[in-house]
Amino acid sequence: IVVEAADNFTVCDNDINVSSDVYQAVGIDIEGPATGVVKDNNITAKGTLVNTVYSGMNWKPATVTIVNNTITAEGYAANAMELGGTSVTVEENAIVAVGNYTAGIVSTVPNAVIKDNRIIVEGSNVGNESTGDYYMKKESVGISVAGGNAAISENTIESNGNTAVDLGNSDSV
């Protein structure tokens, strides 16, 4: 599903399954200007580079609430969510990323609220090949704040990597 230039959109109650043998598998791509809600969906993406939920990466304003979804990423570089835009609220989701390098949530959002999610990341972290994604590191991490500000609270994170939350390039947390 691609959402672009949409005001007050809602994506709800869907089963979305995407796989790609080419470059990138994306379940939902939200590009600004856009404002809306993604809720009550089962979203799975499989491929080499995976961004199951992808928002605001065209650097136009996007304000999104992502709530009560089951989000799964499987691939060499598996991001369950890679989030940009203006602001995002990620709340009460079940998030799973499985692969070589994995991330539950990667955020570059100036104003992110990440609360009460269950995040599982299982990465083998083998080799030194590029992830093919500028914001994704060669590791497995539950939440990575690659830029912007994030209010992170009440999440349950299970990771076989060395880091549950990476605050690397955040302005404030």
Side-chain angles (χ1 to χ4, degrees), residues 102 121-125 139-142 157-164:
T102 57
V121 290
E122 297 176 1
S124 57
N125 301 310
E139 66 177 352
S140 292
V141 60
I157 301 170
E158 296 177 30
S159 172
N160 66 344
N162 293 328
T163 309

Side-chain angles (χ1 to χ4, degrees), residues 78-134:
N79 284 326
M81 306 172 90
E82 185 165 309
L83 307 172
T86 311
S87 67
V88 66
T89 299
V90 179
E91 193 168 11
E92 298 177 358
N93 297 285
I95 301 166
V96 177
V98 178
N100 191 43
Y101 300 117
T102 57
I105 301 170
V106 177
S107 176
T108 63
V109 180
N111 300 296
V113 175
I114 302 170
K115 180 181 178 185
D116 197 26
N117 298 284
R118 178 164 173 75
I119 302 168
I120 300 171
V121 290
E122 297 176 1
S124 57
N125 301 310
V126 175
N128 199 28
E129 288 187 43
S130 170
T131 63
D133 186 312
Y134 180 78

